[in-house]
Amino acid sequence: MRKTTTKLADGRELIYYDEDGAAPREAVDRRPLEPAADRAEVRRDPTTGDHVTIAAHRQARTYHPPADQCPLCPSAEGRLSEIPAEDYDVVVFENRFPSLSAGAFEGDPADLVHPVDPAGQAPATTPSPYRAAPGIGRCEVVCFTSEHDASFAGIGEAKARRVLDAWTDRTAELSALPGVRQVYCFENRGAEIGVTLAHPHGQIYAFPFVTARTARMIERAAEHRARTGRNLFEDLLAAEHADPVRVVITGRHWTAFVPFAARWPYEVHLQPNRRVADLTRLTEDERAEFPRIYLDLLRRFDRIFTEDGPDADPGHNERAQPTPYIAAWHQAPALHGEELALHLELFTIRRTVGRLKFLAGTESGMDAFINDVSPEAAAHRLREVAQ
């Protein structure tokens, strides 16, 4: 793979990932851009300990532009985009509207959390329960293909492997940045999810803290180790293999299964059969098998909601649109979490044709999920729609 790093007009980094032997990239960003303003702050919820990023400057970000003004398409005469080349393979660049961005201080942001009150000043007498810190980190955009109307499921195994290599490269580099505690690669697909740019792309966040969900998984894994002397994720995978009612795909190096307590109507975890902490630890054989299994999964997701399937809705005569989904890589934080197993969680908020799973009172208010589809039925349907 050829990697070429360059700068955009406002100083943001852009990286091309091309096949071996590709010509060097020499295109220059000709847009008259000023440095983007970013004023993010990370605040700590004193009642739960969760981190909340306040990024009010993102209200002005690009929102559902027409296809001929897409900022993720290659640049052309009369249309200069975020990618100055006339064509590209896989591209990663710093987000122009980042939730987190590089700062001008040294050290770990966790050490810089300071007490504030809502007005921004510490009370004179009573110690404040509030903690906040600058929103230090990095947010990147990953463009999977130059084709505006494509999807990840259709890019082919060679390019899917290049995306995996790009995720791995960014995980290694971002984890080494001062203050970064966790690297998160993900894709949001579909307007129902909230995607504002239709071009097939994903994102990478380098957080200055360990996210709440990851912290809970690490805690549960530590409890399991203390109680059994074994790794939680290895035991979970062994249980799925022993009774494969929820297994969707079994490969030599990867297994895709619906989790026992799935939160979403259709949710699949794709996990290496050999436990590793993050993307950088995968072997060449594991990397080689991933594209075939992952693309198979994505294509099955697009076949779940057909009119002749069990989730068909008699009140809707039109064939279902491509399935909206979130694909989320879980990997160990930079400083700890070796008990965590690398895995990708793929799930959709669609529960049947024409109907979505909304996070209403119990989910949004109490973080108590109620699933309308049994995990065993979901796994059966995903096996049923294999090509």
Side-chain angles (χ1 to χ4, degrees):
M1 181 181 67
R2 174 187 284 273
K3 176 183 176 183
T4 306
T5 303
T6 185
K7 295 286 186 180
L8 295 173
D10 55 5
R12 288 176 294 134
E13 190 172 42
L14 180 144
I15 308 166
Y16 296 99
Y17 293 90
D18 295 301
E19 62 182 349
D20 286 333
R25 297 283 185 173
E26 298 178 353
V28 176
D29 186 5
R30 296 183 281 115
R31 296 173 297 170
L33 295 181
E34 295 292 330
D38 46 67
R39 300 170 297 278
E41 183 180 50
V42 175
R43 297 185 180 183
R44 193 84 174 267
D45 184 336
T47 65
T48 65
D50 293 348
H51 295 85
V52 177
T53 301
I54 310 298
H57 61 282
R58 299 191 74 236
Q59 285 280 37
R61 65 188 184 274
T62 307
Y63 186 80
H64 291 299
D68 62 356
Q69 297 178 30
C70 174
L72 306 185
C73 284
S75 288
E77 193 62 38
R79 185 190 68 189
L80 301 179
S81 72
E82 290 281 66
I83 297 96
E86 295 181 354
D87 194 14
Y88 64 83
D89 195 357
V90 176
V91 164
V92 176
F93 63 88
E94 288 184 78
N95 198 324
R96 181 158 174 77
F97 303 96
S99 301
L100 303 161
S101 57
F105 65 86
E106 299 291 336
D108 188 334
D111 298 330
L112 300 177
V113 171
H114 53 277
V116 297
D117 69 6
Q121 296 180 346
T125 55
T126 306
S128 172
Y130 300 116
R131 298 290 183 272
I136 302 304
R138 180 145 157 157
C139 295
E140 299 182 339
V141 177
V142 185
C143 294
F144 306 137
T145 173
S146 61
E147 298 179 33
H148 182 82
D149 295 322
S151 68
F152 201 119
I155 64 175
E157 291 187 20
K159 185 166 287 190
R161 168 59 190 268
R162 211 133 43 238
V163 174
L164 175 62
D165 290 342
W167 284 331
T168 304
D169 178 72
R170 302 315 301 148
T171 295
E173 293 209 3
L174 296 176
S175 296
L177 294 179
V180 169
R181 303 288 297 278
Q182 182 176 351
V183 177
Y184 172 47
C185 307
F186 64 100
E187 180 193 0
N188 298 327
R189 191 265 192 113
E192 300 94 329
I193 296 294
V195 174
T196 57
L197 296 177
H199 195 106
H201 72 287
Q203 299 181 64
I204 304 175
Y205 274 37
F207 288 108
F209 53 84
V210 176
T211 60
R213 182 166 169 77
T214 299
R216 289 198 299 271
M217 285 194 286
I218 292 172
E219 182 180 3
R220 293 295 296 163
E223 292 173 357
H224 187 82
R225 174 69 73 179
R227 186 174 65 255
T228 68
R230 300 188 303 271
N231 178 265
L232 172 63
F233 294 91
E234 291 175 351
D235 281 1
L236 292 176
L237 193 57
E240 297 298 337
H241 285 157
D243 182 11
V245 64
R246 287 178 299 274
V247 173
V248 178
I249 303 173
T250 302
R252 182 178 179 185
H253 301 287
W254 296 82
T255 298
F257 63 93
V258 178
F260 175 76
R263 299 179 303 162
W264 302 96
Y266 289 90
E267 175 182 344
V268 175
H269 292 192
L270 179 57
Q271 185 172 324
N273 294 334
R274 179 184 67 92
R275 181 172 61 89
V276 296
D278 59 44
L279 288 164
T280 68
R281 319 285 183 91
L282 293 173
T283 66
E284 174 55 34
D285 287 342
E286 290 162 343
R287 296 179 191 281
E289 186 181 67
F290 171 80
R292 176 181 62 80
I293 292 182
Y294 185 47
L295 294 180
D296 185 3
L297 265 183
L298 292 180
R299 291 162 187 159
R300 293 188 196 206
F301 260 58
D302 276 342
R303 292 194 291 266
I304 297 172
F305 303 103
T306 55
E307 290 191 41
D308 57 351
D311 289 298
D313 187 338
H316 289 75
N317 296 321
E318 296 183 3
R319 187 175 179 83
Q321 294 297 308
T323 301
Y325 65 75
I326 293 175
W329 278 108
H330 291 268
Q331 47 187 342
L335 299 182
H336 58 81
E338 289 294 321
E339 286 288 311
L340 191 70
L342 170 73
H343 64 283
L344 183 143
E345 296 185 5
L346 175 68
F347 58 89
T348 179
I349 62 171
R350 184 177 287 166
R351 57 187 177 87
T352 188
V353 176
R355 298 178 183 177
L356 302 180
K357 165 65 177 178
F358 291 102
L359 299 190
T362 59
E363 291 88 359
S364 294
M366 297 302 292
D367 199 19
F369 275 70
I370 299 173
N371 194 347
D372 301 304
V373 180
S374 79
E376 293 73 23
H380 175 78
R381 177 60 177 158
L382 286 162
R383 291 192 298 268
E384 186 178 55
V385 296
Q387 187 71 32

